[in-house]
C-alpha cells in the first residue's frame, strides 16, 4: 500500500500520516481507538452482546411449532428468515 495520496487541489502527492497501534505497534492510519484491526477484534466480543439483551438479561425468542413463525407480540407471530436483522433486533 502506498503512503502517498494525490492532492486534488495542487496535483502534488501528499504523505498519509501513520501512527503505531497503541497495543502492538503496527503502523496504521489514525482512528478513534488508535488500534489496528487485529487488536480491535481481540477486544470486541460481539457474541456476548448478542447473547445478552438490553440491561444484561438473557434474550428469549419464541417460535410457533406449527407455522414456524416468531412471536412479535403476545398475540401476533411474524415470519422471519433465520439470523435476519429483523429477527435479531
Amino acid at each position: 500500500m502506498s503512503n502517498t495520496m494525490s492532492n486534488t487541489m495542487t496535483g502534488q502527492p501528499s504523505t498519509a500520516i501513520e501512527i503505531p497501534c497503541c497495543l502492538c505497534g503496527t503502523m496504521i492510519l489514525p482512528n478513534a481507538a488508535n488500534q489496528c484491526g487485529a487488536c480491535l477484534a481481540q477486544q470486541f466480543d460481539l457474541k456476548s452482546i448478542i447473547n445478552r439483551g438490553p440491561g444484561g438479561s438473557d434474550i428469549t425468542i419464541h417460535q410457533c411449532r406449527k407455522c414456524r413463525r416468531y412471536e412479535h407480540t403476545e398475540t401476533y407471530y411474524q415470519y422471519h428468515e433465520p439470523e435476519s436483522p429483523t429477527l435479531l433486533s
Side-chain angles (χ1 to χ4, degrees), residues 19-87:
I19 61 170
C21 170
C22 65
L23 298 177
C24 69
T26 301
M27 296 305 287
I28 60 167
L29 294 174
N31 58 39
N34 289 331
Q35 295 178 8
C36 67
C39 291
L40 281 172
Q42 287 177 350
Q43 292 183 342
F44 186 74
D45 187 14
L46 181 61
K47 184 177 178 181
S48 67
I49 294 171
I50 291 174
N51 287 339
R52 297 284 177 188
S57 63
D58 289 336
I59 296 174
T60 304
I61 300 174
H62 298 279
Q63 184 181 32
C64 177
R65 292 180 182 171
K66 292 181 182 179
C67 68
R68 309 304 288 172
R69 294 180 184 199
Y70 295 93
E71 182 178 30
H72 187 69
T73 64
E74 289 185 21
T75 59
Y76 178 68
Y77 283 74
Q78 185 174 5
Y79 177 78
H80 295 284
E81 290 289 330
E83 299 185 20
S84 68
T86 53
L87 178 61

